[in-house]
Amino acid sequence: MRILSVTSELHPLVKTGGLADVTGALPPALAAHGIDVRTLLPAYPQVLKAMRRHDVVIKYKDLFGAPARLLTTRMNGLDLLLLDSPLLFGREGSPYADARGLDWPDNWRRFAALSAVAADVAAGGIADWKADVVHAHDWQAALTAAYVRHSRVPETPVVVTIHNLAFQGRFEARIFPSLGLPASAFKLDGVEYYGGVGFLKAGLQYADAITTVSPTYAREIRTQEFGMGLDGLLRVRDSAVHGIVNGIDITEWDPSTDPHIPGHFSARSLAERKQNRKAAEQRFALKPGKGPIFAVISRLTWQKGIDLIIDAIEHIVVHGGRLIVLGSGDNALEGAMLAAASKYRGSVGVITGYDEPLAHLMQAGADAILIPSRFEPCGLTQLYGLRYGTVPIVARTGGLADTIIDANEAALTAGVATGIMHTPSSGDALKTAISRAIELYAMPARWQAIQKQGMRADFSWARSSALYADLYRSLLTEVKKP
Ligand code: ADP
Ligand code: GLC
């Protein structure tokens, strides 16, 4: 079976969050099911720099205003199709925004182009490789479903995966004539969305299957509270919606071999974690202490409950804990974190920016990771935490609720607890959870049992890739039915 995966991010080439981890790790896992995945990605400057051998498979004289080429290459063990359009993607830095963090005003054109090219590939644009199923990720690729429906191969099954319903790709109606879709597509059950154009909305409308990245989030997004305006449509499409929890790349995130950490360890022996803890203390200029080190590795945004963490910093410090933070995002939250670091020098360390090796060191050296998200489609940092013996402290929402077992008395007695869970959106609940962590940490046998239970949990892609394989197969049999 051949799958065309369409995405705006792919680890390790271009990443702003978990989307890249997923699109980078799922194809090799699908290969084990006999599935051949090619991934279509914009040829951003950093991607072109990393590219070696390649072939040109499609040439466009005019793709949304300028010449472009589709290149094929193999990088990092993945078969890639790179959309090389200097006009649209020849910009350094973030894939979505300028140096000041403002979204590029032509993002609609950039990602419509990506989606239109995906439909060209689906329609046989490349000699000897035709996709059986097209899998589009997030709003940047979601318009693929509309282009496929209005192409020469409208029956090609399309899966749209929602990684985060907060990002929808909404634009003014005036862009519609430039999209190259038939006028009839501008309708309520087409791309039209509250009088404008909705890229994700269009994807959800036209997709054969809609997936999101955990079963709980799949339920939540059909409610008004979490549906972000799309819950009505998702309820209409109820039978097409599936929740498949993300896996992690267990080779890249392996504490027994990780090249980014000084002390290698495993569930059998945690002793070497001490070295990583020391290295992390040094990186964040922490004073030595007896209490736990809490880590935050995150986009600094409202979704992630970063404001709740800021409010809890005094509580952490007063009770003997320390905090290390790596992240970037909202200016106000970044500023408040930096202010806390200077107020509680030696107990709180903050590094702003994006640093993949440092994220590994923090997972390997901290004692607990804080993820008090207001909503969380899946979340990957709690899964990396489990694998590295960093106990996740998470809000009971979305994928966090699906992947962590709270250390209540029953779970502790049964030997299945893997983390600490609290009510979402509540500063008091977060502080109580932090206190519970500090108490448990003071009982080393209990704490180690939680660490080891987490390390034994299997969140590799083995199970979830099988679910995607089944879904793709079910779509093919549906289509073939007379
Ligand atoms: P989201 O995709 O919503 O940001 P996830 O938990 O799914 O959240 O994925 C976040 C990914 O980004 C993880 O791989 C995490 O380690 C990484 N990450 C987040 N912030 C940083 C940062 N500042 N530096 C390095 N890695 C980061
Ligand atoms: C999104 C979500 C996150 C999820 C990731 C990968 O960025 O916010 O919860 O883990 O996508 O699916």
Side-chain angles (χ1 to χ4, degrees):
M1 191 179 355
R2 291 168 164 183
I3 306 294
L4 174 65
S5 170
V6 191
T7 178
S8 58
E9 296 187 24
L10 183 79
H11 178 72
L13 295 170
V14 49
K15 166 168 167 178
T16 71
L19 167 65
D21 290 3
V22 171
T23 55
L26 182 55
L30 288 169
H33 301 277
I35 295 177
D36 163 18
V37 182
R38 298 214 179 165
T39 303
L40 171 61
L41 176 80
Y44 306 106
Q46 64 268 45
V47 176
L48 288 176
K49 257 177 230 145
M51 183 179 72
R52 296 283 168 266
R53 277 191 50 142
H54 67 273
D55 292 306
V56 179
V57 284
I58 305 184
K59 278 187 183 166
Y60 293 92
K61 280 206 194 77
D62 180 2
L63 180 73
F64 286 80
R69 303 181 308 163
L70 186 66
L71 314 177
T72 171
T73 184
R74 207 174 147 76
M75 283 161 85
N76 305 98
L78 301 177
D79 288 310
L80 303 184
L81 296 166
L82 300 176
L83 177 55
D84 181 23
S85 160
L87 171 77
L88 300 175
F89 299 113
R91 306 171 198 183
E92 300 286 342
S94 155
Y96 314 123
D98 65 16
R100 286 171 303 161
L102 297 176
D103 281 352
W104 294 110
D106 59 348
N107 273 349
W108 65 269
R109 191 193 305 273
R110 302 170 77 221
F111 296 108
L114 180 72
S115 304
V117 170
D120 288 346
V121 174
I126 304 182
D128 10 291
W129 197 87
K130 188 153 173 322
D132 297 305
V133 177
V134 179
H135 188 164
H137 296 271
D138 270 352
W139 77 263
Q140 293 90 344
L143 209 56
T144 300
Y147 285 115
V148 167
R149 286 305 165 254
H150 294 288
S151 74
R152 283 189 292 111
V153 288
E155 73 289 350
T156 310
V158 180
V159 178
V160 169
T161 294
I162 303 168
H163 293 267
N164 193 333
L165 205 54
F167 304 107
Q168 300 188 352
R170 280 179 72 171
F171 303 99
E172 287 170 28
R174 64 176 170 79
I175 71 153
F176 178 76
S178 311
L179 293 178
L181 288 165
S184 62
F186 193 77
K187 58 179 177 190
L188 192 64
D189 54 359
V191 307
E192 190 272 335
Y193 188 43
Y194 292 111
V197 175
F199 280 30
L200 183 61
K201 184 267 176 176
L204 303 183
Q205 190 76 57
Y206 288 108
D208 296 277
I210 297 165
T211 73
T212 188
V213 287
S214 69
T216 294
Y217 194 60
R219 282 193 299 276
E220 287 171 342
I221 55 176
R222 281 173 271 187
T223 67
Q224 208 184 354
E225 186 185 356
F226 291 97
M228 308 226 165
L230 286 167
D231 47 297
L233 172 55
L234 287 163
R235 282 194 298 273
V236 168
R237 301 237 43 210
D238 194 69
S239 63
V241 179
H242 309 264
I244 302 178
V245 75
N246 287 332
I248 58 170
D249 183 335
I250 55 169
T251 316
E252 175 128 7
W253 291 89
D254 182 351
S256 68
T257 56
D258 193 326
H260 305 301
I261 65 176
H264 291 146
F265 62 99
S266 70
R268 275 191 302 281
S269 162
L270 291 169
E272 294 299 313
R273 274 192 118 256
K274 282 211 186 79
Q275 271 193 60
N276 305 319
R277 199 167 188 267
K278 230 186 201 99
E281 284 177 340
Q282 276 166 6
R283 281 294 291 276
F284 287 91
L286 294 190
K287 290 193 291 253
K290 282 213 180 68
I293 298 180
F294 296 92
V296 175
I297 305 164
S298 183
R299 292 187 284 118
L300 302 180
T301 63
W302 181 86
Q303 174 198 340
K304 300 290 180 179
I306 301 300
D307 51 317
L308 304 175
I309 296 176
I310 291 166
D311 286 345
I313 290 178
E314 189 178 337
H315 184 84
I316 293 174
V317 174
V318 166
H319 291 89
R322 289 167 292 158
L323 175 70
I324 56 178
V325 179
L326 169 64
S328 60
D330 292 355
N331 287 339
L333 295 172
E334 259 186 60
M337 277 292 186
L338 289 167
S342 60
K343 181 166 176 194
Y344 299 106
R345 208 175 291 278
S347 296
V348 176
V350 174
I351 296 180
T352 56
Y354 194 88
D355 187 336
E356 190 84 23
L358 183 56
H360 283 243
L361 177 66
M362 292 168 75
Q363 292 281 13
D367 300 298
I369 180 157
L370 296 176
I371 316 171
S373 306
R374 291 192 163 87
F375 66 95
E376 195 61 74
C378 179
L380 295 174
T381 55
Q382 83 279 14
L383 302 181
Y384 300 139
L386 289 177
R387 182 130 170 96
Y388 279 61
T390 296
V391 175
I393 300 177
V394 305
R396 186 178 285 102
T397 186
L400 300 172
D402 289 339
T403 55
I404 301 300
I405 301 175
D406 178 57
N408 58 37
E409 283 306 313
L412 285 170
T413 313
V416 295
T418 59
I420 294 173
M421 220 179 259
H422 61 84
T423 310
S425 313
S426 157
D428 286 341
L430 172 62
K431 285 177 199 156
T432 306
I434 288 168
S435 296
R436 285 175 64 203
I438 292 172
E439 280 161 27
L440 281 165
Y441 184 78
M443 298 183 270
R446 282 205 149 189
W447 187 260
Q448 269 206 15
I450 299 173
Q451 284 180 297
K452 290 186 176 177
Q453 272 138 216
M455 292 179 83
R456 281 193 289 266
D458 179 7
F459 281 102
S460 71
W461 271 105
R463 216 173 61 84
S464 294
S465 63
L467 296 176
Y468 279 109
D470 287 348
L471 176 68
Y472 299 148
R473 283 197 190 102
S474 72
L475 295 175
L476 283 176
T477 31
E478 262 171 42
V479 170
K480 280 185 194 133
K481 270 186 226 147

